[in-house]
Short mmCIF file of all heavy atoms in Angstrom, two decimals:
data_model
loop_
_atom_site.label_atom_id
_atom_site.label_comp_id
_atom_site.label_asym_id
_atom_site.label_seq_id
_atom_site.Cartn_x
_atom_site.Cartn_y
_atom_site.Cartn_z
N TRP A 36 -13.29 -48.49 17.80
CA TRP A 36 -13.97 -48.55 19.09
C TRP A 36 -14.90 -49.76 19.09
O TRP A 36 -15.63 -49.99 18.12
CB TRP A 36 -14.78 -47.30 19.36
CG TRP A 36 -13.98 -46.10 19.76
CD1 TRP A 36 -13.56 -45.08 18.94
CD2 TRP A 36 -13.48 -45.79 21.06
NE1 TRP A 36 -12.84 -44.16 19.67
CE2 TRP A 36 -12.79 -44.57 20.97
CE3 TRP A 36 -13.57 -46.42 22.30
CZ2 TRP A 36 -12.17 -43.96 22.07
CZ3 TRP A 36 -12.96 -45.82 23.39
CH2 TRP A 36 -12.27 -44.61 23.27
N PHE A 37 -14.87 -50.48 20.19
CA PHE A 37 -15.77 -51.61 20.41
C PHE A 37 -16.39 -51.43 21.79
O PHE A 37 -15.92 -50.63 22.59
CB PHE A 37 -14.98 -52.93 20.38
CG PHE A 37 -14.45 -53.29 19.01
CD1 PHE A 37 -13.38 -52.61 18.46
CD2 PHE A 37 -15.05 -54.29 18.27
CE1 PHE A 37 -12.89 -52.93 17.19
CE2 PHE A 37 -14.58 -54.62 17.00
CZ PHE A 37 -13.51 -53.93 16.47
N ARG A 38 -17.45 -52.18 22.05
CA ARG A 38 -18.08 -52.10 23.38
C ARG A 38 -18.58 -53.46 23.80
O ARG A 38 -18.88 -54.32 22.97
CB ARG A 38 -19.22 -51.08 23.37
CG ARG A 38 -20.42 -51.47 22.51
CD ARG A 38 -21.43 -50.32 22.47
NE ARG A 38 -22.60 -50.67 21.67
CZ ARG A 38 -23.58 -49.82 21.38
NH1 ARG A 38 -23.51 -48.55 21.81
NH2 ARG A 38 -24.62 -50.22 20.67
N GLN A 39 -18.66 -53.63 25.11
CA GLN A 39 -19.17 -54.87 25.67
C GLN A 39 -20.11 -54.58 26.81
O GLN A 39 -19.70 -54.00 27.83
CB GLN A 39 -18.02 -55.77 26.14
CG GLN A 39 -18.47 -57.15 26.57
CD GLN A 39 -17.31 -58.11 26.75
OE1 GLN A 39 -16.16 -57.71 26.89
NE2 GLN A 39 -17.61 -59.40 26.73
N ALA A 40 -21.37 -54.97 26.64
CA ALA A 40 -22.38 -54.82 27.67
C ALA A 40 -22.38 -56.07 28.55
O ALA A 40 -21.94 -57.14 28.11
CB ALA A 40 -23.74 -54.62 27.03
N PRO A 41 -22.89 -55.93 29.79
CA PRO A 41 -22.92 -57.10 30.68
C PRO A 41 -23.65 -58.28 30.05
O PRO A 41 -24.76 -58.12 29.53
CB PRO A 41 -23.67 -56.56 31.90
CG PRO A 41 -23.42 -55.10 31.88
CD PRO A 41 -23.38 -54.72 30.43
N GLY A 42 -23.04 -59.43 30.10
CA GLY A 42 -23.66 -60.63 29.57
C GLY A 42 -23.66 -60.76 28.07
O GLY A 42 -24.26 -61.70 27.53
N LYS A 43 -23.00 -59.82 27.39
CA LYS A 43 -22.99 -59.85 25.92
C LYS A 43 -21.56 -59.90 25.41
O LYS A 43 -20.61 -59.58 26.12
CB LYS A 43 -23.71 -58.63 25.36
CG LYS A 43 -25.19 -58.58 25.69
CD LYS A 43 -25.88 -57.45 24.94
CE LYS A 43 -27.37 -57.44 25.20
NZ LYS A 43 -28.06 -56.34 24.45
N GLU A 44 -21.44 -60.27 24.14
CA GLU A 44 -20.12 -60.30 23.53
C GLU A 44 -19.70 -58.88 23.13
O GLU A 44 -20.54 -58.00 22.91
CB GLU A 44 -20.15 -61.21 22.29
CG GLU A 44 -20.37 -62.67 22.63
CD GLU A 44 -20.25 -63.55 21.40
OE1 GLU A 44 -20.13 -63.03 20.28
OE2 GLU A 44 -20.27 -64.79 21.57
N ARG A 45 -18.38 -58.71 23.00
CA ARG A 45 -17.88 -57.42 22.54
C ARG A 45 -18.30 -57.20 21.10
O ARG A 45 -18.24 -58.12 20.27
CB ARG A 45 -16.35 -57.39 22.65
CG ARG A 45 -15.74 -56.03 22.43
CD ARG A 45 -14.24 -56.03 22.60
NE ARG A 45 -13.83 -56.43 23.94
CZ ARG A 45 -12.58 -56.33 24.39
NH1 ARG A 45 -11.62 -55.85 23.60
NH2 ARG A 45 -12.27 -56.71 25.61
N GLU A 46 -18.74 -55.97 20.78
CA GLU A 46 -19.21 -55.68 19.44
C GLU A 46 -18.56 -54.43 18.88
O GLU A 46 -18.14 -53.53 19.62
CB GLU A 46 -20.74 -55.48 19.45
CG GLU A 46 -21.22 -54.29 20.24
CD GLU A 46 -22.74 -54.09 20.13
OE1 GLU A 46 -23.42 -54.89 19.48
OE2 GLU A 46 -23.21 -53.08 20.71
N PHE A 47 -18.52 -54.38 17.56
CA PHE A 47 -17.94 -53.25 16.85
C PHE A 47 -18.83 -52.03 17.00
O PHE A 47 -20.06 -52.11 16.96
CB PHE A 47 -17.80 -53.62 15.37
CG PHE A 47 -17.44 -52.46 14.49
CD1 PHE A 47 -16.16 -51.96 14.46
CD2 PHE A 47 -18.41 -51.88 13.69
CE1 PHE A 47 -15.84 -50.89 13.64
CE2 PHE A 47 -18.11 -50.81 12.86
CZ PHE A 47 -16.82 -50.31 12.84
N VAL A 48 -18.18 -50.85 17.14
CA VAL A 48 -18.92 -49.59 17.20
C VAL A 48 -18.53 -48.68 16.03
O VAL A 48 -19.39 -48.23 15.27
CB VAL A 48 -18.64 -48.86 18.53
CG1 VAL A 48 -19.32 -47.49 18.54
CG2 VAL A 48 -19.11 -49.69 19.71
N ALA A 49 -17.23 -48.41 15.89
CA ALA A 49 -16.79 -47.48 14.84
C ALA A 49 -15.30 -47.71 14.57
O ALA A 49 -14.58 -48.21 15.44
CB ALA A 49 -17.02 -46.04 15.26
N ALA A 50 -14.86 -47.33 13.38
CA ALA A 50 -13.45 -47.42 13.03
C ALA A 50 -13.07 -46.27 12.12
O ALA A 50 -13.91 -45.76 11.36
CB ALA A 50 -13.14 -48.75 12.35
N ILE A 51 -11.80 -45.88 12.21
CA ILE A 51 -11.27 -44.80 11.37
C ILE A 51 -9.96 -45.27 10.77
O ILE A 51 -9.15 -45.93 11.43
CB ILE A 51 -11.11 -43.50 12.18
CG1 ILE A 51 -10.73 -42.33 11.28
CG2 ILE A 51 -10.13 -43.67 13.34
CD1 ILE A 51 -10.90 -40.96 11.97
N SER A 52 -9.75 -44.96 9.50
CA SER A 52 -8.55 -45.40 8.82
C SER A 52 -7.32 -44.65 9.32
O SER A 52 -7.43 -43.61 9.97
CB SER A 52 -8.70 -45.20 7.31
OG SER A 52 -8.85 -43.82 7.02
N LYS A 53 -6.14 -45.18 8.99
CA LYS A 53 -4.91 -44.55 9.47
C LYS A 53 -4.75 -43.12 8.94
O LYS A 53 -4.17 -42.28 9.62
CB LYS A 53 -3.71 -45.41 9.11
CG LYS A 53 -3.48 -45.65 7.64
CD LYS A 53 -2.24 -46.51 7.41
CE LYS A 53 -2.44 -47.92 7.85
NZ LYS A 53 -1.28 -48.79 7.55
N SER A 54 -5.29 -42.85 7.77
CA SER A 54 -5.22 -41.50 7.21
C SER A 54 -6.26 -40.57 7.79
O SER A 54 -6.18 -39.35 7.63
CB SER A 54 -5.40 -41.56 5.70
OG SER A 54 -6.74 -41.87 5.38
N GLY A 55 -7.26 -41.16 8.43
CA GLY A 55 -8.37 -40.37 8.93
C GLY A 55 -9.42 -40.06 7.88
O GLY A 55 -10.45 -39.44 8.17
N GLY A 56 -9.19 -40.51 6.67
CA GLY A 56 -10.08 -40.16 5.59
C GLY A 56 -11.32 -41.03 5.44
O GLY A 56 -12.25 -40.67 4.73
N SER A 57 -11.33 -42.17 6.12
CA SER A 57 -12.46 -43.08 6.03
C SER A 57 -12.92 -43.50 7.41
O SER A 57 -12.09 -43.75 8.30
CB SER A 57 -12.06 -44.34 5.24
OG SER A 57 -11.70 -44.01 3.92
N THR A 58 -14.24 -43.55 7.56
CA THR A 58 -14.83 -44.01 8.81
C THR A 58 -15.96 -44.99 8.51
O THR A 58 -16.52 -45.00 7.40
CB THR A 58 -15.41 -42.85 9.63
OG1 THR A 58 -16.39 -42.16 8.85
CG2 THR A 58 -14.33 -41.86 10.05
N MET A 59 -16.27 -45.83 9.48
CA MET A 59 -17.42 -46.71 9.35
C MET A 59 -18.00 -46.93 10.74
O MET A 59 -17.29 -46.80 11.75
CB MET A 59 -17.06 -48.04 8.70
CG MET A 59 -15.96 -48.82 9.33
SD MET A 59 -15.69 -50.36 8.40
CE MET A 59 -14.10 -50.86 9.05
N TYR A 60 -19.31 -47.25 10.76
CA TYR A 60 -20.04 -47.34 12.00
C TYR A 60 -20.96 -48.56 12.00
O TYR A 60 -21.44 -49.00 10.95
CB TYR A 60 -20.91 -46.08 12.19
CG TYR A 60 -20.11 -44.81 12.28
CD1 TYR A 60 -19.82 -44.06 11.15
CD2 TYR A 60 -19.64 -44.36 13.51
CE1 TYR A 60 -19.08 -42.89 11.23
CE2 TYR A 60 -18.89 -43.20 13.61
CZ TYR A 60 -18.62 -42.47 12.47
OH TYR A 60 -17.88 -41.30 12.56
N ALA A 61 -21.24 -49.03 13.20
CA ALA A 61 -22.29 -50.03 13.36
C ALA A 61 -23.62 -49.34 13.10
O ALA A 61 -23.80 -48.15 13.37
CB ALA A 61 -22.26 -50.59 14.78
N ASP A 62 -24.57 -50.09 12.56
CA ASP A 62 -25.89 -49.51 12.25
C ASP A 62 -26.54 -48.93 13.50
O ASP A 62 -27.27 -47.94 13.41
CB ASP A 62 -26.78 -50.59 11.64
CG ASP A 62 -26.38 -50.95 10.22
OD1 ASP A 62 -25.60 -50.18 9.60
OD2 ASP A 62 -26.83 -52.00 9.73
N SER A 63 -26.30 -49.54 14.65
CA SER A 63 -26.96 -49.11 15.88
C SER A 63 -26.52 -47.73 16.35
O SER A 63 -27.20 -47.11 17.17
CB SER A 63 -26.71 -50.13 16.98
OG SER A 63 -25.31 -50.29 17.21
N VAL A 64 -25.37 -47.24 15.86
CA VAL A 64 -24.87 -45.94 16.32
C VAL A 64 -24.75 -44.92 15.19
O VAL A 64 -24.45 -43.75 15.45
CB VAL A 64 -23.49 -46.08 17.02
CG1 VAL A 64 -23.57 -47.13 18.13
CG2 VAL A 64 -22.39 -46.41 16.04
N LYS A 65 -24.99 -45.34 13.97
CA LYS A 65 -24.84 -44.45 12.81
C LYS A 65 -25.75 -43.24 12.97
O LYS A 65 -26.94 -43.37 13.30
CB LYS A 65 -25.17 -45.22 11.54
CG LYS A 65 -24.62 -44.60 10.27
CD LYS A 65 -24.83 -45.54 9.10
CE LYS A 65 -24.07 -46.84 9.23
NZ LYS A 65 -24.23 -47.73 8.06
N GLY A 66 -25.18 -42.06 12.76
CA GLY A 66 -25.94 -40.83 12.89
C GLY A 66 -25.93 -40.26 14.29
O GLY A 66 -26.34 -39.10 14.50
N ARG A 67 -25.47 -41.04 15.27
CA ARG A 67 -25.42 -40.57 16.66
C ARG A 67 -23.98 -40.44 17.16
O ARG A 67 -23.68 -39.57 17.97
CB ARG A 67 -26.17 -41.52 17.58
CG ARG A 67 -27.65 -41.67 17.25
CD ARG A 67 -28.39 -42.46 18.33
NE ARG A 67 -27.89 -43.83 18.45
CZ ARG A 67 -27.42 -44.34 19.59
NH1 ARG A 67 -27.35 -43.60 20.69
NH2 ARG A 67 -27.00 -45.60 19.62
N PHE A 68 -23.11 -41.35 16.71
CA PHE A 68 -21.72 -41.37 17.17
C PHE A 68 -20.80 -40.89 16.04
O PHE A 68 -21.07 -41.12 14.86
CB PHE A 68 -21.30 -42.79 17.56
CG PHE A 68 -21.93 -43.32 18.82
CD1 PHE A 68 -23.00 -42.69 19.43
CD2 PHE A 68 -21.46 -44.49 19.38
CE1 PHE A 68 -23.58 -43.19 20.58
CE2 PHE A 68 -22.02 -45.02 20.53
CZ PHE A 68 -23.09 -44.37 21.13
#
Side-chain angles (χ1 to χ4, degrees):
W36 284 98
F37 291 74
R38 67 186 181 186
Q39 187 168 19
K43 296 188 177 181
E44 293 186 353
R45 190 178 299 190
E46 64 176 3
F47 170 76
V48 175
I51 187 166
S52 63
K53 61 180 70 176
S54 71
S57 298
T58 58
M59 55 180 165
Y60 298 91
D62 288 344
S63 58
V64 307
K65 200 172 296 183
R67 299 189 298 122
F68 290 12

